[in-house]
Amino acid sequence: MSEYLNQLNDSQREAVTTLEGPVMVIAGPGSGKTRVLTYRIAHLLNSGVAPWNVLALTFTNKAAREMKERIVDIAGSRSNSLWMGTFHSVFARILRRESDKIGYPSDFTIYDTEDSKSVLNEIIKEMKLDKNTYNVNGVRARISAAKTQLISPEQYAKDERIRSRDQMSRRPYIHVIYERYVKRCERAGAMDFDDLLYKFYYLLRDNPEGVKEKYQAQFQYILVDEFQDTNFLQYAILKMLSRYPESKQNVCIVGDDAQSIYAFRGADISNILDFQSEYQDVKVIKLEQNYRSTIHIVNSANHLISYNKKQIKKKIWTDKTEGPKVKILRALTDTEEAKRVAGLIQEYRNRHYIEYKEMAILYRTNAQSRAFEEHLRKANIPYKIFGGLSFFQRKEVKDLLAYLRLVVNENDSEALKRSINYPRRGIGKTSLDKMLDYANKNEISTWRALTELQLPPRTTSSIKEFVQIIRHLQGMAKESNAYQVALEASKLSGLEKLLKQDTSIEGVNRLQNMYALLDGIKEFVEADEIGEGGEVANKSLSSYLQNVALMTDLDQANNEDDYVTLMTIHSAKGLEFEAIFVVGMEENIFPSFMTLNDPSQIDEERRLFYVAVTRSKRLLTLSHAKSRYQYGQIRYNDPSRFLEELPEEHIDAPTPKVKVIGEAPGKGYNTYDASPKGRVSGHFNRSPRSSARPSPKIDTSNFRPSPSDKIAKGQQVLHLKFGKGKVLSVDGSRDKRVATIRFEDVGGEPKRLMLKFAKLQIV
C-alpha cells in the first residue's frame, strides 16, 4: 500500500496523504501534478473511501482516462466506480438521472456547435434580421457568456447594462433570440454544452426532492484539476456541492495561478487567488521542484513571472544544473526568422541528435505559422500543425486561393465550385449541379457551361456578376503583380467583408489568416528587393500560385511519427519538448496589441509566455524580427517587453536595449537600433544569408545613399552588397522606379533593383 508513497518527494506526499478538509495544491510546471492527483485518488480508495463517494473533475476526457488507468494499477478494478471526467461529462450523467425534475427526457440530445448555430440561424431568419449584423457566431458567443454568468433570458431582457451594450452593437434583439433559442431547445429535448453546467446549477439551486443534499452526501471527497481554468459557473457549482453542513468540506483543488491563460474562454483567475477566503482552514501545499527543465529555464521563468502583481508566491527550483542558456535570436525580417529557426532545427537534429518530435515551434496566433511552414518545407523538415489545420488548408485561405486559381485558369473546375457561390450570391446547389451535368454531357469545361447554360433570370444575373468579377481580375493580372490582384480579389469577391462581420474570437482568427495569406503574397512580391538588395524577379500571380501549389503538396515519404510540432502557446499547455522555439517575440504580437492598455491582460500575456518557456526541457530559443508583414504593410515592432524581463545571467547574450533612430519609409513606424552595447551573441552578428562569392568591400563609414529619384541612366553607383556598378536603364515611376545595373564585382546578368529599397550612392 505504501510503495507508491515512497515514489514521492515530501511536498507531493503531503498533498497525497492530506485527505480531510479543504486543500489547495499549487503545482508549478513540471512538478508532477498528474502523479499527485492520481496517487491522491488511489490513496483515498486504499484508505477505505468508497469510489462512488469520490468526484474528480478534469478539463479533458483524455486526462481522465489516463489518470483512471494509473489508478486501476494501484487500487484495482474498484476504481472503475469513480465519478471521474470533465465537468460536462459528469454533470450530463447526473442530468440524465434527474432529467424528469427539470422537464427533460432522460435521453435528451446534446447539441454541438453546428447544431446550435443551425437553430440560431433559423431564428434569425424567421425574425427577418440582417444575418450579417446578427452574425450567428457573435450571437452564440453572447448567449454562451450569459449562461456562464448565470443570466437567464428573463434577466438578460431586464438588465439595462447588457441591453445598452447590444444597442451599441446594433443588435437590440439578442434577448429575443436568446429567449426563443432556449424555448426551441427545450421543445426539442436538447441541451447545448453550456446547458450541461447551467441546467445542473439550477437543478442544485432549486433542489427538487432534495437533489442537492443527495449529491452533497454522495460526493464526500471532491478533486478539481487545473483549477485556475475554472469559470464563474463551474466554481459556483463546486461551492454548492462541497458546502454540505455535515461534511468537512473535503475539497482538493490542484492548479497554478501562473498558468492561468484562458480568460478569453471565461476562466477566472480570482477563483484560485481567492480560494482561501472561500473556505476555512485551507491547507496550502506547494509543489515547487521542477523535474522537467534546466536551471536556466526555471530561473528565467521565475524571474519573468515575478513581474505579475496578483499571484500566489512560490519559488520553482530544479537540480538540473547542466544545459545551455536561453538563446535569443534576432532577425531582420519575419522571413529570416523562419529560415533561421528551420536552420537551428536541422542543427539540433544533426549535431545534438534530437528527434523532430522532440522539437516544437510555438506562436501567439495561428496566422504566424505560414512563414515557418514554408521554410520547413523548403528544408524538407517534416512537421504537423497541432490544434488546427495546416495554414494552406484552412477554409478562409483556400477560399481566396480558389478565386486566384480561377483568375489564372478559368477551366479549373474545383476552384469554380468553391468560389461561385461563396460568399453567397444566389447561385444555388441545383444550378451548380445543372452546370456540372451540362459540362459532363457536352465534354466542356464548367466555366464554358456557366456561360452557355440557360438558367432562371435571377440566377443568370448572379452568374454574370460572378463572371464580371473574374474577368476584371484577369485583366488586372496582366498589368499588376500578384499582391495587387489578390488584394483586389479579397475585396471584390466579398470575402473580406464577410469575415469582418464575424467578431467572435474564431471570426477574428479567420480574418487574420486571410490577411496572413495576403502578407505572404506581398512578401513574395517584394522579398528580393528587401532581402537581396532590391533585385526584381517574376512577381506574377501565376508564378505565386505555382510556388504555393508546391508548398501545399505534403511529402508523405517522411516518417509520419517524427515531425516538428507547430502550435499556438494555448494549445501547448500541459506538453513538454526537448527543444522549444517561441517565435514572434515582439510588441503588438506578444503581448498582443489588443492587451496593451489593460494591465490585467498584460499579466495574462506574461503568464502565457511563462507557459511557453516552461514547456522546454533543455533548449529554449526566443526569436523576434525587426520587421514583418502584417495586414499588407511592413511593420516595425519593438522586441517584446518580456525579453527585457529575463535575467541576463541565464541568457547567452544580454537582451538588446531599444533605441529609436528614425522612421520606416512612408509608414510612420519607428525603426530601431537593437545592437547591445556589451558582449554580442553570434546570432546578432551572423549574416542572414551566406554566399560563396565574398561581398564587395565598401567603406561603410563614407557610404551615403543618394536620393532614389536622382538615380539615372549612365551613372556609376555603389551598393553595399553588390559593389560598384553602372546604371544601364531606369523604368517605372515614383515608388515603383526600377534600375537595371551591371555590377563589376558580381558576375552574371545585370540586376534589376527597386530604387525605393536598393540604397545606392552615386559615385
Side-chain angles (χ1 to χ4, degrees):
M1 173 177 169
S2 61
E3 182 179 345
Y4 58 89
L5 296 178
N6 294 331
Q7 301 173 23
L8 305 172
N9 64 34
D10 291 344
S11 297
Q12 291 173 333
R13 189 179 300 109
E14 184 180 14
V16 167
T17 58
T18 306
L19 303 180
E20 303 300 319
V23 177
M24 179 167 70
V25 180
I26 303 301
S31 62
K33 171 180 69 70
T34 303
R35 171 177 285 193
V36 166
L37 267 172
T38 302
Y39 285 12
R40 181 181 172 87
I41 296 171
H43 194 63
L44 279 168
L45 301 182
N46 287 337
S47 299
V49 176
W52 49 85
N53 291 142
V54 178
L55 171 63
L57 299 170
T58 65
F59 271 81
T60 66
N61 287 309
K62 179 183 177 184
R65 285 194 302 270
E66 292 176 351
M67 287 172 60
K68 186 171 284 189
E69 289 172 1
R70 297 186 193 182
I71 295 167
V72 169
D73 291 339
I74 300 172
S77 59
R78 58 202 172 111
S79 307
N80 292 324
S81 299
L82 286 166
W83 282 72
M84 186 173 187
T86 65
F87 283 85
H88 293 88
S89 64
V90 170
F91 298 159
R93 182 178 170 188
I94 296 174
L95 284 170
R96 291 196 187 282
R97 283 187 170 190
E98 312 293 344
S99 59
D100 60 308
K101 298 179 179 64
I102 56 174
Y104 269 79
S106 60
D107 58 349
F108 60 81
T109 300
I110 299 175
Y111 276 168
D112 62 16
T113 301
E114 293 305 312
D115 293 324
S116 298
K117 286 163 63 174
S118 178
V119 174
L120 289 169
N121 270 323
E122 190 175 284
I123 294 169
I124 291 167
K125 183 178 180 181
E126 288 173 0
M127 293 177 65
K128 299 181 179 178
L129 300 172
D130 179 51
K131 64 181 180 181
N132 294 323
T133 302
Y134 287 86
N135 178 274
V136 69
N137 288 313
V139 172
R140 180 177 168 273
R142 290 289 283 162
I143 293 173
S144 176
K147 289 182 179 179
T148 299
Q149 293 297 317
L150 291 171
I151 299 172
S152 67
E154 295 76 20
Q155 292 170 319
Y156 193 108
K158 294 176 182 178
D159 192 310
E160 292 184 6
R161 181 181 57 85
I162 296 175
R163 293 287 304 280
S164 175
R165 181 177 173 182
D166 287 346
Q167 288 280 359
M168 290 176 64
S169 64
R170 298 184 293 112
R171 297 183 297 182
Y173 297 110
I174 287 184
H175 71 285
V176 180
I177 298 172
Y178 184 13
E179 180 183 13
R180 293 189 183 186
Y181 173 74
V182 168
K183 289 181 178 178
R184 195 153 302 187
C185 288
E186 289 174 348
R187 287 202 307 269
M191 295 187 196
D192 61 22
F193 274 72
D194 294 311
D195 283 331
L196 297 176
L197 276 64
Y198 182 79
K199 299 285 188 184
F200 183 62
Y201 173 85
Y202 281 107
L203 173 68
L204 296 178
R205 192 202 68 171
D206 297 341
N207 198 24
E209 300 177 26
V211 69
K212 180 174 71 173
E213 287 80 13
K214 172 183 175 182
Y215 288 102
Q216 285 175 331
Q218 177 175 337
F219 299 134
Q220 297 177 15
Y221 294 86
I222 301 175
L223 300 91
V224 184
D225 190 15
E226 303 287 7
F227 188 72
Q228 75 280 350
D229 295 333
T230 55
N231 60 31
F232 174 83
L233 176 53
Q234 289 165 328
Y235 194 18
I237 293 171
L238 176 66
K239 286 186 286 189
M240 199 174 293
L241 281 174
S242 61
R243 287 184 168 173
Y244 187 43
E246 298 177 8
S247 77
K248 296 180 180 179
Q249 298 184 356
N250 298 325
V251 56
C252 174
I253 64 162
V254 182
D256 181 7
D257 60 295
Q259 298 185 66
S260 177
I261 59 174
Y262 294 117
F264 68 94
R265 294 182 186 171
D268 189 348
I269 192 174
S270 66
N271 290 351
I272 192 169
L273 294 177
D274 299 339
F275 184 77
Q276 288 174 269
S277 64
E278 292 284 353
Y279 292 84
Q280 294 181 350
D281 302 321
V282 176
K283 178 72 173 179
V284 179
I285 301 168
K286 297 178 182 179
L287 307 183
E288 297 175 303
Q289 182 175 2
N290 182 299
Y291 292 93
R292 175 188 300 154
S293 308
T294 66
I295 192 169
H296 296 300
I297 294 169
V298 169
N299 286 357
S300 294
N302 278 335
H303 197 272
L304 170 77
I305 204 64
S306 68
Y307 283 84
N308 275 17
K309 293 180 174 60
K310 291 184 177 181
Q311 59 176 295
I312 299 170
K313 295 293 184 180
K314 56 186 174 299
K315 185 72 173 179
I316 307 303
W317 62 277
T318 182
D319 57 11
K320 295 184 177 182
T321 57
E322 299 295 325
K325 293 184 177 182
V326 177
K327 187 188 300 292
I328 295 181
L329 187 157
R330 176 179 180 270
L332 293 176
T333 67
D334 50 349
T335 298
E336 182 197 338
E337 178 191 32
K339 182 177 181 180
R340 291 172 66 185
V341 166
L344 278 175
I345 288 172
Q346 289 178 313
E347 178 184 329
Y348 289 166
R349 187 171 189 263
N350 297 330
R351 183 177 297 180
H352 300 293
Y353 307 106
I354 300 175
E355 294 181 279
Y356 287 133
K357 63 185 176 183
E358 283 296 328
M359 293 185 269
I361 299 173
L362 307 183
Y363 33 75
R364 181 63 181 80
T365 64
N366 276 314
Q368 291 173 256
S369 73
R370 177 192 56 78
F372 296 95
E373 289 190 69
E374 291 180 4
H375 284 278
L376 291 175
R377 283 172 176 162
K378 288 177 181 177
N380 291 318
I381 297 173
Y383 71 90
K384 182 177 180 181
I385 301 288
F386 185 92
L389 293 171
S390 168
F391 179 84
F392 293 104
Q393 292 301 313
R394 293 168 188 157
K395 181 181 184 302
E396 54 276 11
V397 172
K398 291 174 70 90
D399 289 337
L400 181 52
L401 286 175
Y403 276 90
L404 302 184
R405 285 166 51 189
L406 205 55
V407 170
V408 171
N409 176 18
E410 65 186 34
N411 294 324
D412 187 332
S413 178
E414 292 303 310
L416 187 146
K417 286 192 292 183
R418 188 176 191 96
S419 59
I420 190 170
N421 199 41
Y422 191 83
R424 292 182 180 178
R425 51 176 59 89
I427 306 172
K429 184 178 182 299
T430 301
S431 296
L432 182 58
D433 288 343
K434 287 181 180 179
M435 281 183 262
L436 294 172
D437 185 59
Y438 182 85
N440 291 332
K441 285 182 178 179
N442 293 277
E443 297 183 346
I444 58 175
S445 69
T446 310
W447 179 268
R448 182 175 165 186
L450 183 79
T451 58
E452 290 182 1
L453 188 62
Q454 296 297 314
L455 293 167
R458 185 174 178 180
T459 304
T460 300
S461 176
S462 297
I463 289 173
K464 285 182 179 179
E465 178 187 337
F466 175 71
V467 170
Q468 287 173 354
I469 291 172
I470 302 302
R471 291 296 186 215
H472 171 77
L473 294 172
Q474 287 174 333
M476 188 177 177
K478 296 176 182 178
E479 302 175 353
S480 306
N481 63 41
Y483 173 74
Q484 292 167 332
V485 179
L487 185 63
E488 179 75 359
S490 71
K491 298 178 184 300
L492 201 60
S493 65
L495 288 172
E496 182 184 46
K497 180 180 179 181
L498 182 68
L499 291 173
K500 280 183 174 180
Q501 290 165 351
D502 184 355
T503 57
S504 67
I505 292 172
E506 295 84 358
V508 171
N509 284 337
R510 282 191 283 269
L511 181 62
Q512 288 181 342
N513 287 336
M514 192 191 76
Y515 283 148
L517 175 63
L518 291 171
D519 289 342
I521 300 173
K522 183 79 174 287
E523 188 175 6
F524 169 81
V525 169
E526 296 185 354
D528 286 339
E529 289 89 353
I530 300 170
E532 290 293 322
E535 188 172 1
V536 176
N538 184 352
K539 304 302 177 186
S540 69
L541 181 59
S542 177
S543 177
Y544 173 78
L545 288 175
Q546 177 179 312
N547 186 44
V548 79
L550 293 173
M551 285 192 286
T552 56
D553 184 16
L554 292 175
D555 184 1
Q556 300 299 322
N558 291 312
N559 181 0
E560 294 183 357
D561 295 326
D562 190 24
Y563 49 76
V564 175
T565 298
L566 276 70
M567 64 173 72
T568 64
I569 302 168
H570 284 100
S571 299
K573 190 166 177 291
L575 303 178
E576 60 183 28
F577 297 88
E578 195 72 18
I580 288 285
F581 300 85
V582 187
V583 299
M585 291 299 306
E586 299 146 38
E587 292 289 298
N588 298 314
I589 295 177
F590 198 11
S592 166
F593 70 93
M594 294 187 291
T595 67
L596 298 182
N597 296 321
D598 186 341
S600 67
Q601 290 191 48
I602 289 293
D603 280 359
E604 172 135 345
E605 291 286 288
R606 188 178 287 108
R607 292 194 295 269
L608 186 61
F609 184 39
Y610 178 87
V611 167
V613 166
T614 55
R615 298 310 92 197
S616 176
K617 297 179 183 178
R618 188 162 63 94
L619 295 164
L620 175 62
T621 301
L622 312 173
S623 68
H624 63 99
K626 188 174 181 181
S627 67
R628 69 174 61 243
Y629 274 98
Q630 286 181 279
Y631 310 111
Q633 303 287 339
I634 297 177
R635 304 288 175 129
Y636 295 81
N637 296 323
D638 289 6
S640 171
R641 68 189 69 190
F642 300 147
L643 294 179
E644 294 191 11
E645 294 173 356
L646 297 173
E648 288 192 2
E649 62 268 26
H650 295 291
I651 298 174
D652 67 358
T655 303
K657 301 300 180 183
V658 179
K659 176 184 175 184
V660 179
I661 63 172
E663 288 188 344
K667 303 299 180 187
Y669 295 98
N670 288 327
T671 183
Y672 306 94
D673 176 9
S675 302
K677 300 298 183 185
R679 57 193 174 89
V680 182
S681 163
H683 280 291
F684 293 102
N685 281 334
R686 192 176 303 152
S687 172
R689 296 176 186 253
S690 60
S691 173
R693 183 184 297 274
S695 299
K697 293 183 178 179
I698 301 294
D699 185 356
T700 57
S701 63
N702 295 322
F703 184 82
R704 298 289 184 273
S706 302
S708 62
D709 59 355
K710 301 297 183 184
I711 306 297
K713 179 180 178 180
Q715 291 174 337
Q716 298 288 330
V717 294
L718 292 179
H719 187 282
L720 281 175
K721 179 174 182 178
F722 302 134
K724 187 175 182 180
K726 182 179 180 180
V727 181
L728 303 181
S729 65
V730 177
D731 54 80
S733 61
R734 297 182 181 179
D735 287 348
K736 296 183 180 180
R737 297 178 77 235
V738 176
T740 302
I741 307 171
R742 184 183 300 279
F743 291 97
E744 298 174 2
D745 297 324
V746 181
E749 294 295 320
K751 295 189 175 297
R752 285 176 54 77
L753 309 181
M754 182 76 78
L755 292 178
K756 178 181 178 181
F757 301 107
K759 294 184 180 179
L760 299 170
Q761 178 181 330
I762 301 172
V763 178

